[in-house]
Structures are given as C-alpha cells and as structure tokens.
C-alpha cells in the first residue's frame, strides 16, 4: 500500500504570505490520481485540487497544485484568513490519505 | 446541488455492529460512473477510506477492514448503508459519506456529508 507523507506537519504563516505544502509518496503514483482537500475545524473536507493540478469547481485561483511521480505540492499564493486550516493529500487510485498539514496563523 | 447526510447511532458498545445510513440528493446512484463512499476520521487524526459502492453495484473495501464492512445501496430511496461489525473503541471516529463523481478515475470525493461522530464505549 502506498504511503503518503505530508510536510511540514504545521506551517505558521501570516495572511498574505505564500504557503507551500508537500506530499511525498513512497512509490511513484499517477498524477491523474492525486488530490488535495482542505478541512476546517468541525467541518467536512472540501476538495480543492484533483489530477494533481486541476482546481475543483469554485476553488479560487490562489490555490494551485503541481508535481509528478513521488513529489507533489499544493501552493497557496497569498493566504487569506479563511485559508488557515488543515490540508490533506490523497492518492485516489488506492484511496490513501496523507497525515495532513496544518496551516496556522503566525 | 449535491448534498449528503449521515445518520446512525452516536454511541455503540464494543463488539456491537454499527449501521450508518447516508441519505443523498442532487444525483442518482444509477448514473454511469457515480459512486458513494465512506471515510472516517478519528478525533485529531487523518482520514481513512473505508468503502465505496458504484452505480453498477460494484463494491470496494479497505483491505485492512474488509472482513468487517458491508456497503449496500437503495437507489430508489437515495440511500447508502454501511455496516461495520465487532466495533472497538479504536473505531471511535467521525464517519463521512461522500460523492464519487463520474469524471473520476478512482476514489475521488468531490462532495462530503457533514459527518457523524460515533463513539465506541461500554
């Protein structure tokens, strides 16, 4: 089973800053099966990115995804107050989730 | 607009069987490519996929939990039911159901229910 490792565990940033989140797989995965979700406290996850780089419906363009093989990245170009949350990656071929990265206000 | 909502007991005893129902609207489970899955999240921890049922009755299960899980659908009632046997305190989690879109090539979930917290305790 594929293992997804997200780093860092916590990212402390200020509004307006750029956030770069990493998701690393222990074996090569198809870029057409890598997704990113956002989860706020007490809420269900929200799909942000699928196929590694395609934004889901209604997702602002400050969110972007990239990567291939074993290394994938979610970038938030300028953090808005509502972006402080936990982010999970998922390899949806086998439906494995990463452990999450918390983006907190510095 | 697609919506999903989980319902079921909030508390179950160890060894009991958990039955959760997902009631959805805004799509049909008879549409080619559509699926409904279940995912859980222990408090403060990561997400774990459990099961998925497709429009064509194909069922998929997490390998580690396969022996304990059953997923069924009632297309006419727009419901999907998950049963998990032999519940243990480590199964305490929020259980989500979610929509698998027809454009997905795997177990991608584009819309989630609000979740149902299930506590396992005697």
């Amino acid at each position: 089973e594929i293992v997804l490792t997200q780093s860092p565990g916590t990212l402390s940033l200020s509004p307006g800053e750029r956030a770069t989140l990493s998701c690393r797989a222990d074996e090569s995965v198809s870029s057409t099966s890598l997704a990113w979700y956002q989860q706020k406290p007490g809420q269900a996850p929200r799909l942000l990115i699928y196929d590694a780089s395609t934004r889901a419906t209604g997702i602002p363009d400050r969110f972007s995804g990239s990567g291939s093989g074993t290394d994938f990245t979610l970038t938030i170009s300028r953090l808005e107050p509502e972006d402080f949350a936990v982010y999970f990656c998922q390899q949806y071929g086998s439906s494995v989730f990463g452990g999450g990265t918390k983006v907190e206000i510095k | 607009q697609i919506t999903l909502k989980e319902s079921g007991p909030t508390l179950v005893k160890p060894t009991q069987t958990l039955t959760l129902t997902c009631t959805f609207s805004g799509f049909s489970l008879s549409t080619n490519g559509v699926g409904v899955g279940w995912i859980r999240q222990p408090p403060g921890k990561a997400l774990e996929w459990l099961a998925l049922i497709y429009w064509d009755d194909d069922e998929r299960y997490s390998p580690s939990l396969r022996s304990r899980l059953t997923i069924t659908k009632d297309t006419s009632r727009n419901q999907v039911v998950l049963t998990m046997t032999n519940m243990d305190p480590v199964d305490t989690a929020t259980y989500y159901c979610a929509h698998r879109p027809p454009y997905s090539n795997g177990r991608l979930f584009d819309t989630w229910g609000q979740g149902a917290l299930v506590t396992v305790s005697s």
Side-chain angles (χ1 to χ4, degrees), chain A residues 34-104:
Chain A
L34 196 288
W36 291 92
Y37 298 85
Q38 176 194 68
Q39 187 178 33
K40 297 179 181 179
Q43 297 185 17
R46 177 174 72 144
L47 177 65
L48 298 176
I49 301 284
Y50 64 95
D51 289 356
S53 60
T54 303
R55 277 188 297 276
T57 302
I59 302 303
D61 61 7
R62 65 179 180 273
F63 291 93
S64 63
S66 63
S68 63
T70 60
D71 291 295
F72 297 86
T73 300
L74 174 70
T75 302
I76 310 171
S77 59
R78 292 176 310 280
L79 283 164
E80 297 287 341
E82 62 267 27
D83 299 336
F84 292 91
V86 178
Y87 294 83
F88 293 97
C89 59
Q90 180 203 19
Q91 196 280 322
Y92 49 90
S94 56
S95 199
V96 172
F97 289 91
T101 290
K102 180 180 181 180
V103 179
E104 65 175 22

Side-chain angles (χ1 to χ4, degrees), chain B:
Chain B
Q1 180 192 6
I2 290 174
T3 64
L4 307 99
K5 188 172 183 179
E6 307 84 356
S7 59
T10 57
L11 179 66
V12 297
K13 291 180 167 43
T15 76
Q16 286 187 335
T17 294
L18 171 68
T19 300
L20 292 170
T21 300
C22 176
T23 303
F24 57 85
S25 63
F27 67 96
S28 172
L29 241 186
S30 60
T31 299
N32 198 327
V34 170
V36 172
W38 287 92
I39 305 97
R40 71 178 179 179
Q41 185 176 36
K45 296 189 177 180
L47 300 161
E48 178 183 23
W49 170 71
L50 301 175
L52 173 63
I53 191 163
Y54 291 92
W55 82 101
D56 60 356
D57 294 323
D58 188 19
E59 302 164 24
R60 302 287 168 162
Y61 296 99
S62 165
S64 63
L65 292 167
R66 181 181 183 86
S67 64
R68 299 173 54 203
L69 296 172
T70 304
I71 189 169
T72 60
K73 66 181 178 71
D74 185 333
T75 304
S76 63
R77 300 181 65 183
N78 283 353
Q79 291 183 330
V80 171
V81 175
L82 180 77
T83 60
M84 179 180 288
T85 61
N86 194 24
M87 293 292 285
D88 183 273
V90 301
D91 297 313
T92 294
T94 296
Y95 288 75
Y96 297 98
C97 63
H99 172 257
R100 187 261 192 191
Y103 61 79
S104 169
N105 65 349
R107 298 155 199 172
L108 177 71
F109 301 108
D110 67 348
T111 309
W112 296 55
Q114 63 189 25
L117 176 61
V118 177
T119 301
V120 185
S121 175
S122 55

